[in-house]
Amino acid sequence: MNVEIKGDVVMKKTVKLQDLDCANCADKIENAIRKLDGVTSINVNFMAQKMILEAPEDRFDAVLAEVKKLVKKVGPDVCI
């Protein structure tokens, strides 16, 4: 899904998170991702075991790669 915000096209994707064991871990992951450059919106849902990520369309793949690295650092058992 693409949304235009302030002239930039923002891509929004839902990603499945496997082995996310606790709500505290989900909160830590969400807060860490929120600080990454290029992330316009992030929501990690522990109960649904998913993450909704928004980033500029032209940088989305690079942002997602950084998100994957960060998730492994914060929650080593979590798989995207």
Side-chain angles (χ1 to χ4, degrees), residues 10 20 25-27 42:
V10 176
L20 182 59
C25 295
D27 190 50
I42 181 69

Side-chain angles (χ1 to χ4, degrees), residues 6-7 10 12 16 20-21 27-28 30-32 37 39 43 45 49 55 61 63 67-68 70 73-74 78 80:
K6 296 180 186 174
V10 176
K12 179 178 182 179
K16 179 84 173 139
L20 182 59
D21 295 334
D27 190 50
K28 286 181 183 179
E30 183 175 302
N31 288 330
D37 185 41
V39 174
N43 183 314
N45 186 318
Q49 298 280 299
D61 291 335
V63 171
V67 166
K68 288 180 179 180
L70 190 60
K73 184 177 178 183
V74 176
V78 179
I80 293 180

Side-chain angles (χ1 to χ4, degrees), residues 30-59:
E30 183 175 302
N31 288 330
I33 292 171
R34 185 171 283 121
K35 296 175 185 175
L36 287 176
D37 185 41
V39 174
T40 56
S41 177
I42 181 69
N43 183 314
V44 177
N45 186 318
F46 167 67
M47 294 302 287
Q49 298 280 299
K50 68 180 181 179
M51 168 178 66
I52 300 171
L53 174 66
E54 289 184 21
E57 183 178 38
D58 59 342
R59 296 185 50 214

